[in-house]
Amino acid sequence: MPALEDLERQLGGLDGRRILVRCDFNVPLRDGGGRQEIADDLRIRAALPTLRWLTERGASVTACSHLGRPSGAPDERCSLAPAAERLAELAPGVALAENLRFSPGETANDPAFVEALVTGRLPVPFGGAPSGSGSASVSAAFDGYVNDAFGASHRAHASIVGPPQHVPSAAGRLLAREAEVLGGLRTDARRPFVAVLGGAKVSDKLGVVEALLSVVDTLVIGGGMCFTFLAALGHPIGDSLCEPDFIETCERLLGGGANIVLPNDITALDAGGTVRQMGRSLPDGCRGLDIGPGSAAEFDDVIAGARTVFWNGPMGLFEDERFAAGTRAVAQSMADSRAFTVVGGGDSAAAVAQFGLAPYMDHISTGGGAGLELIEHGDLPGLAALRDSPQQ
């Protein structure tokens, strides 16, 4: 993919050039006493290396992003105003356009909306208005485009795949690093390579499971998805989450000769509301909500022997402290490991942050879904658009 330096050379320098940067500022919001405020600004901070590199070279930078899922119309609950306020503190002088998904043309990849983007016909709520306040509409066309929104690059949306067809384009620092690390897991991982998958449903990660089984040495499975696998082995799972339509698929995967490690004990909630430690078989009325301490120790042994570890998905309902031990144990095992450790975004990234272990991970992805699709398919629409741009 073209890098920022390639864009600089193609444009003959960046001083005075107008650059549109697609970021992923889909940040979590919370009620801040009558106004929305950012609960975690990781995704804004992750874009700073790209934004500062461009502005330091004299570029006039306008960032754009989506936030939430507005229905193709303005919705104040999804306004990027809180992100614009934080961006103004971290990267003064960078403008931020209002939520791209306020237009139905974004998710529909409407050519007219793509044209509006590259010719600068988009609202800028803060940070770029000549008056320094209020809102303005950009009227001049952009000279170049940078995609730094890895977390949105698995979507063939207008702002992701459209601009590279019209203006010189490049990958931002974040996008390039994510593609290098997560894409490299398929081809260049140091061995033994261990993947740890959790989360609720097998159906959400079946493609990733099959893709990983072709490249990993060991696949560790916990979280709610483990119960469909346990059911495939013939264990009663009580009232635990299970997808009956995928039991046969799990049987096939378990019988395929791959090294799949499943929990040997479960932390469950019984019918009376009591937390109990149980084996693999759960009676009716019991619901498994975390891996047990024996499984946590076994998973730790597997991780300790690895040279590369990829983790996506919690081991249990970690938001409830009664069922957080398994997820905490995996996070600690990765922090203690000498392996190259990759956390696949989403709930896993939230967990390592909650446990204070984020500084000990080698790479924490900003895009859970995008990372999984890259591992599964080896490419993303946003990456292909940059490589295939006729402007290169």
Side-chain angles (χ1 to χ4, degrees):
M1 291 184 299
L4 293 176
E5 290 79 5
D6 298 315
L7 180 65
E8 183 178 33
R9 285 192 292 270
Q10 188 173 4
L11 293 177
L14 294 173
D15 190 22
R17 296 290 193 175
R18 296 178 48 77
I19 306 297
L20 178 66
V21 183
R22 177 50 158 104
C23 298
D24 181 10
F25 291 164
N26 188 28
V27 294
L29 300 175
R30 65 189 174 201
D31 183 10
R35 63 186 296 269
Q36 287 190 312
E37 62 181 27
I38 296 173
D40 183 356
D41 67 354
L42 171 64
R43 289 184 173 183
I44 298 177
R45 289 184 284 108
L48 295 180
T50 292
L51 299 176
R52 288 172 175 168
W53 190 91
L54 292 167
T55 56
E56 286 168 1
R57 282 155 179 77
S60 175
V61 177
T62 298
C64 61
S65 178
H66 74 283
L67 191 150
R69 296 185 177 183
S71 56
D75 182 342
E76 64 178 11
R77 296 171 298 179
C78 297
S79 173
L80 277 165
E85 183 176 347
R86 182 64 174 138
L87 182 63
E89 297 171 356
L90 297 172
V94 175
L96 177 62
E98 188 51 286
N99 195 331
L100 293 165
R101 292 186 182 176
F102 283 179
S103 168
E106 165 65 356
T107 57
N109 191 19
D110 183 352
F113 187 68
V114 174
E115 182 182 2
L117 287 174
V118 298
T119 57
R121 301 196 307 274
L122 67 167
V124 181
F126 297 101
S131 62
S133 63
S135 63
S137 180
V138 179
S139 58
F142 289 104
D143 300 300
Y145 165 81
V146 173
N147 184 357
D148 213 24
F150 177 76
S153 288
H154 59 316
R155 308 295 188 196
H157 290 174
S159 64
I160 297 294
V161 300
Q165 301 303 309
H166 300 277
V167 295
S169 301
R173 297 291 192 231
L174 173 63
L175 182 80
R177 178 60 176 165
E178 293 270 28
E180 176 188 11
V181 171
L182 293 168
L185 292 178
R186 291 172 57 98
T187 55
D188 300 318
R190 292 176 292 179
R191 296 188 178 277
F193 176 18
V194 172
V196 182
L197 293 184
K201 297 180 178 181
V202 173
S203 56
D204 290 341
K205 295 180 179 175
L206 182 59
V208 178
V209 168
E210 302 210 48
L212 284 171
L213 284 176
S214 68
V215 296
V216 301
D217 298 289
T218 304
L219 177 62
V220 177
I221 296 178
M225 63 187 293
C226 79
F227 294 105
T228 305
F229 280 91
L230 291 176
L233 290 175
H235 294 283
I237 57 171
D239 294 345
S240 304
L241 181 66
C242 181
E243 296 179 277
D245 291 345
F246 290 89
I247 289 178
E248 185 175 335
T249 301
C250 291
E251 290 176 348
R252 174 177 58 81
L253 295 173
L254 290 167
N259 187 17
I260 299 176
V261 178
L262 295 170
N264 282 311
D265 60 344
I266 300 294
T267 300
L269 193 68
D270 69 16
T274 301
V275 177
R276 300 175 58 188
Q277 300 299 330
M278 311 191 73
R280 279 183 166 181
S281 298
L282 305 183
D284 290 344
C286 279
R287 186 181 185 193
L289 292 171
D290 194 11
I291 62 171
S295 299
E298 182 180 5
F299 290 7
D300 176 70
D301 288 342
V302 175
I303 292 170
R307 295 189 66 197
T308 303
V309 184
F310 170 71
W311 175 32
N312 182 279
M315 297 294 99
L317 190 67
F318 75 96
E319 298 88 349
D320 185 330
E321 185 58 33
R322 298 175 297 172
F323 309 109
T327 302
R328 182 184 288 109
V330 168
Q332 188 65 59
S333 297
M334 291 186 66
D336 294 340
S337 172
R338 295 183 179 181
F340 181 74
T341 52
V342 180
V343 179
D347 287 338
S348 304
V352 296
Q354 176 179 313
F355 302 141
L357 297 173
Y360 304 100
M361 306 299 164
D362 290 303
H363 183 78
I364 300 177
S365 178
T366 58
L372 292 177
E373 289 207 20
L374 180 56
I375 290 171
E376 180 180 352
H377 300 295
D379 203 2
L380 298 175
L383 309 186
L386 291 174
R387 291 196 316 270
D388 299 340
S389 172
Q391 308 302 317
Q392 302 307 323

